[in-house]
Amino acid sequence: MSEKIYGVVGCGWLGLSMAQKWIKEERSVHGTTTTKEKIKDLESEGIVVHLLDSKKDEKDLKWLNQVDVLLLNIPPSSLKERYGDFMMKIAKQVKSDAKIIFISSTSVYANNNQVVTEESELEGTRRNSSYIINAEKQLEDFAKDRLTIIRMSGLVGKERNPAKYMKAREIRGGKEPVNLVHLEDCMGIIDHIIDSSIWGEIFNASAAKHPSKEEYYTFAAEKLKIEPPTFNSKPQAYKIIDGEKLVKKFGYSYAYDDPHSFPLSGE
């Protein structure tokens, strides 16, 4: 049997971490960047690098036909209403039996002061959420049981400590719960899906515990030894992401099910 080839479209914070892990495991990895300046850095990691431009012709994406497993992991921020179409442009280039993991976001759910599961109604009125919902739908219709969608909660790990971005700021809704997932679990979930051949599914990725913003961001600031944010206790709409489907139905075990246990830079 020939060696599987992995593709990472979007070698950012999560995508690069995943590519590095696979390369350490001696897997063959192709990856993309949108900037020429990053090509040498990515090649030095052992990645077969491709420059990705949303305006390029399909012939520039022919390399995708070599890929057996594709991690589709670019945000909609610059593409906006073109996001879904561009995801499809990429997905259509892979082999008919290739598997696709699409990294989505829990921002697709409304803040209705409730627990949300994968069956909860989607709501596209928040920034970028309508573009993500549209991309999910197009990819599902196209790839069907070759596609699995992971809706990620707030991402934490390596240098990404949420308190860094909130230093000395006032945060609204200090009593509302946080929905976070650690990088190690992001990668663990991706590998679990691939290794267990879990396709045609949608999963939320979130630590099981949901401390309040005030509790957690104060804790995280102390870890970094920086000034914590202040908190406005005026109630804000919230949601609690239920990430238990992966655990109860598909046997995944979170490395960090409580944000207080996350390894944070500065420790």
Side-chain angles (χ1 to χ4, degrees):
M1 183 182 291
S2 61
E3 178 190 357
K4 275 187 180 176
I5 296 176
Y6 295 76
V8 179
V9 174
C11 288
W13 182 80
L14 172 57
L16 178 57
S17 297
M18 200 73 244
Q20 289 169 327
K21 181 178 186 295
W22 284 336
I23 286 165
K24 280 181 183 175
E25 296 166 352
E26 300 185 343
R27 306 191 197 196
S28 177
V29 180
H30 289 242
T32 71
T33 179
T34 57
T35 57
K36 291 180 181 178
E37 293 74 23
K38 288 185 180 177
I39 291 175
K40 285 187 177 179
D41 288 342
L42 294 177
E43 286 178 338
S44 71
E45 297 281 354
I47 300 168
V48 181
V49 185
H50 306 273
L51 197 61
L52 186 69
D53 184 338
S54 63
K55 299 180 180 68
K56 279 191 173 184
D57 192 82
E58 279 81 354
K59 70 178 185 297
D60 298 298
L61 299 172
K62 290 297 184 186
W63 63 271
L64 286 160
N65 193 248
Q66 304 172 55
V67 167
D68 298 292
V69 178
L70 179 67
L71 180 63
L72 201 47
N73 179 44
I74 56 175
S77 46
S78 62
L79 292 159
K80 298 192 182 300
E81 63 276 354
R82 297 187 294 120
Y83 183 62
D85 290 342
F86 188 53
M87 295 301 97
M88 283 298 297
K89 187 176 180 180
I90 292 168
K92 285 178 177 177
Q93 296 300 318
V94 299
K95 298 179 288 190
S96 60
D97 60 346
K99 303 298 192 292
I100 301 171
I101 293 177
F102 176 56
I103 301 300
S104 181
S105 166
T106 54
S107 67
V108 298
Y109 301 116
N111 289 335
N112 286 335
N113 302 344
Q114 293 178 335
V115 175
V116 293
T117 71
E118 292 83 356
E119 305 301 319
S120 297
E121 185 178 356
L122 305 187
E123 186 249 13
T125 60
R126 302 185 66 214
R127 183 170 65 93
N128 292 334
S129 58
S130 62
Y131 311 134
I132 300 172
I133 292 167
N134 174 258
E136 281 193 11
K137 181 70 167 62
Q138 288 195 66
L139 288 166
E140 279 188 289
D141 289 346
F142 171 72
K144 298 183 172 61
D145 60 359
R146 296 189 294 117
L147 170 76
T148 285
I149 295 168
I150 309 173
R151 294 174 180 154
M152 294 287 187
S153 293
L155 304 172
V156 179
K158 288 187 175 175
E159 76 296 336
R160 188 176 284 195
N161 178 332
K164 276 186 182 179
Y165 312 105
M166 300 174 185
K167 182 180 177 182
R169 285 172 48 195
E170 180 177 277
I171 305 300
R172 294 181 298 170
K175 303 302 181 189
E176 273 61 70
V178 295
N179 298 292
L180 299 171
V181 62
H182 193 270
L183 174 62
E184 189 172 324
D185 279 311
C186 298
M187 296 194 295
I189 289 165
I190 290 167
D191 271 341
H192 187 71
I193 287 165
I194 294 168
D195 296 343
S196 304
S197 295
I198 305 168
W199 304 108
E201 295 288 346
I202 298 175
F203 296 111
N204 293 334
S206 180
K209 302 288 176 60
H210 303 271
S212 71
K213 291 179 185 177
E214 183 172 2
E215 180 188 351
Y216 184 69
Y217 295 148
T218 300
F219 166 83
E222 288 172 355
K223 289 287 186 183
L224 273 185
K225 297 181 171 58
I226 61 174
E227 184 182 351
T230 57
F231 298 90
N232 182 331
S233 59
K234 184 178 179 181
Q236 295 284 316
Y238 67 89
K239 58 183 171 250
I240 295 176
I241 304 298
D242 184 334
E244 288 297 293
K245 176 181 173 183
L246 265 165
V247 177
K248 292 176 179 174
K249 288 186 68 176
F250 293 95
Y252 181 73
S253 179
Y254 278 85
Y256 303 106
D257 63 358
D258 183 345
H260 288 102
S261 69
F262 289 176
L264 295 172
S265 59
E267 291 191 54

